[in-house]
Amino acid sequence: DIQMTQSPSSLSASVGDRVTIACRASQDIGRYLAWFQLRPGKAPKSLIYLASSLQSGVPSKFSGSGSGTDFTLTINNLQPEDLATYYCQQYQSFPLTFGRGTKVEI
Amino acid sequence: QAQVVESGGGVVQPGGSLRLSCAASGFTFTAYTVRWVREAPGRGLEWVALISPEGSDKFYADSVKGRFTISRDKSKSTVSLLMDSLGTEDTAIYYCGALNTDADYWGQGTLVTVSS
């Protein structure tokens, strides 16, 4: 199975900050990497697919980069509604696997 | 607008069974790959199962293989997850997500609690 390692596990930032979350795959997954946002009591929200493509309706303050084994999610101009846990997920092969999440606190 | 709604969660005893349902509206559900993922307390997200748009391809996490069965009813635009031999480790919020090249829609989840 492909292991996904996210860092940091949590971070605290201020409104207006730029935040970067890292995700590392245990083997080459090309660009088959997605990012999700999970807010308490809300439906998961898909942010990024194919490592850097923005999902329809997602604001451009979210961006993704990387390929192979190393990926990043960047959130610009952090706002209170961005309080959430963010997960990366590889879909290069089954079983699909998630990172353990990064909790963003404001 | 597009909407996905999960149902069927509840409290069940260890060893019991439960059937979750995922219904969609506002988009062509039958053209979407559907997956179930779960969020257990303190354990993050875990992928559970996936079914192709035609229903011919199904994949499962090792932790549920042989116990869970995913299926879809095209006439009703629903996807079901039949869960047998439930254990306390299956306690979680179960989310249904519908994915294709244009969009990825998710429901708000249904809570499954396995407890005696």
Side-chain angles (χ1 to χ4, degrees):
Chain A
D1 298 0
I2 298 175
Q3 308 301 318
M4 306 301 293
T5 304
Q6 272 185 249
S7 60
S9 56
S10 65
L11 64 89
S12 182
S14 301
V15 171
D17 280 357
R18 181 185 197 182
V19 163
T20 299
I21 298 169
C23 178
R24 174 166 287 179
S26 61
Q27 64 188 68
D28 189 338
I29 60 170
R31 296 180 64 81
Y32 292 107
L33 191 282
W35 289 96
F36 294 88
Q37 176 194 65
L38 191 59
R39 289 187 287 181
K42 301 282 190 180
K45 183 176 183 179
S46 173
L47 301 174
I48 302 284
Y49 64 98
L50 281 177
S52 61
S53 296
L54 204 62
Q55 197 63 254
S56 175
V58 174
S60 59
K61 60 185 289 181
F62 293 96
S63 63
S65 65
S67 66
T69 60
D70 291 301
F71 303 86
T72 58
L73 173 71
T74 299
I75 310 171
N76 287 308
N77 188 22
L78 198 69
Q79 295 297 308
E81 60 267 24
D82 300 326
L83 166 73
T85 302
Y86 293 84
Y87 293 89
C88 62
Q89 183 226 315
Q90 67 80 21
Y91 53 102
Q92 195 273 338
S93 64
F94 289 100
L96 309 181
T97 46
F98 287 91
R100 293 189 63 84
T102 296
K103 187 173 184 179
V104 174
E105 298 170 310
I106 300 173
Chain B
Q1 75 273 21
Q3 191 174 18
V4 172
V5 178
E6 304 93 338
S7 61
V11 180
V12 61
Q13 291 189 335
S17 299
L18 213 54
R19 180 186 291 272
L20 306 184
S21 233
C22 174
S25 59
F27 63 100
T28 309
F29 191 52
T30 51
Y32 283 66
T33 294
V34 175
R35 60 270 205 252
W36 288 93
V37 304
R38 64 187 180 184
E39 180 192 17
R43 286 170 50 186
L45 288 178
E46 178 188 17
W47 169 71
V48 174
L50 177 149
I51 188 167
S52 62
E54 309 79 16
S56 53
D57 296 317
K58 304 174 185 181
F59 301 90
Y60 300 92
D62 287 345
S63 59
V64 307
K65 200 173 293 183
R67 300 188 299 123
F68 289 13
T69 303
I70 191 170
S71 61
R72 70 189 308 161
D73 183 337
K74 287 198 169 186
S75 63
K76 296 181 182 177
S77 280
T78 58
V79 167
S80 295
L81 184 69
L82 175 61
M83 306 185 296
D84 292 323
S85 302
L86 284 162
T88 55
E89 70 278 9
D90 297 313
T91 294
I93 301 172
Y94 285 73
Y95 299 100
C96 171
L99 170 72
N100 78 359
T101 52
D102 296 328
D104 190 359
Y105 302 117
W106 289 87
Q108 292 199 309
T110 186
L111 177 62
V112 172
T113 303
V114 184
S115 174
S116 53

